Amino acid sequence: MATDISRRFGPDQATGVRFNAAHHEGDTAVDGEHSKLDLLAVGLDWHNRDVRLSADIGWQQNKLRGARPNASLDPAVSVVPRAPDASSNFARPWSYSHERDLFGALRGEFDFTASITAWAAYGLRRSSEANSLANPTVSDAATGAASLSVLVDAVTGVVTDSRVLPSYLIALLI
């Protein structure tokens, strides 16, 4: 669901405002993966014959649950297994990522002459992320044994997964 509403004002339509909002939530094409995205943004602008000014501010939140992680091969592994079904998921059921962004920009232009224009722009972004992720590293292509690099809110540790993964799952880890 999304909306984009805009309007120009004034006798010469010199002032404009735009509002954007979006919400998307649901399962993805990957088994067990769920995504939720929310977005709000406002833009303002004004112009006359020689000056153009604009300002934009926005906020977005992106939540992922059960997102398929990055995977890698241990340097000792030299065989790349066949690729599995793209919808398969090897994420841990507790894995998640919650991201928030606040962003804005100011822009201005001034025409000194018909061929000389000065411009300036300034922008900023403030982001935060809370997560609990487990990225597998395949250590044995024949058995599918893998270790997990666990990242929990920027604290990293290594956990050994004692399961033996089927060989088709090894391909998922690549």
Side-chain angles (χ1 to χ4, degrees), residues 27-159:
D27 293 333
T28 70
V30 177
D31 293 339
E33 187 175 82
H34 185 83
S35 174
K36 179 180 178 186
L37 174 70
D38 294 300
L39 168 79
L40 297 172
V42 175
L44 304 169
D45 71 86
W46 175 83
H47 67 86
N48 68 15
R49 192 181 70 129
D50 297 323
V51 178
R52 289 162 301 284
L53 302 172
S54 66
D56 297 283
I57 189 166
W59 169 87
Q60 72 178 16
Q61 178 173 267
N62 189 22
K63 293 184 175 186
L64 300 171
R65 192 176 65 235
R68 186 167 37 193
N70 295 328
S72 60
L73 290 176
D74 184 276
V77 176
S78 61
V79 177
V80 178
R82 64 181 170 81
D85 182 334
S87 68
S88 299
N89 194 351
F90 50 89
R92 295 299 188 230
W94 43 260
S95 65
Y96 74 92
S97 174
H98 296 174
E99 302 169 350
R100 287 187 181 183
D101 294 297
L102 179 64
F103 50 91
L106 300 171
R107 290 176 291 281
E109 296 180 12
F110 178 76
D111 297 330
F112 289 104
T113 68
S115 59
I116 299 175
T117 300
W119 61 269
Y122 180 78
L124 60 93
R125 176 180 173 201
R126 184 174 186 173
S127 299
S128 65
E129 179 178 6
N131 62 42
S132 181
L133 305 170
N135 297 333
T137 300
V138 176
S139 55
D140 186 335
T143 65
S147 62
L148 294 176
S149 296
V150 178
L151 178 65
V152 180
D153 291 337
V155 177
T156 304
V158 176
V159 176

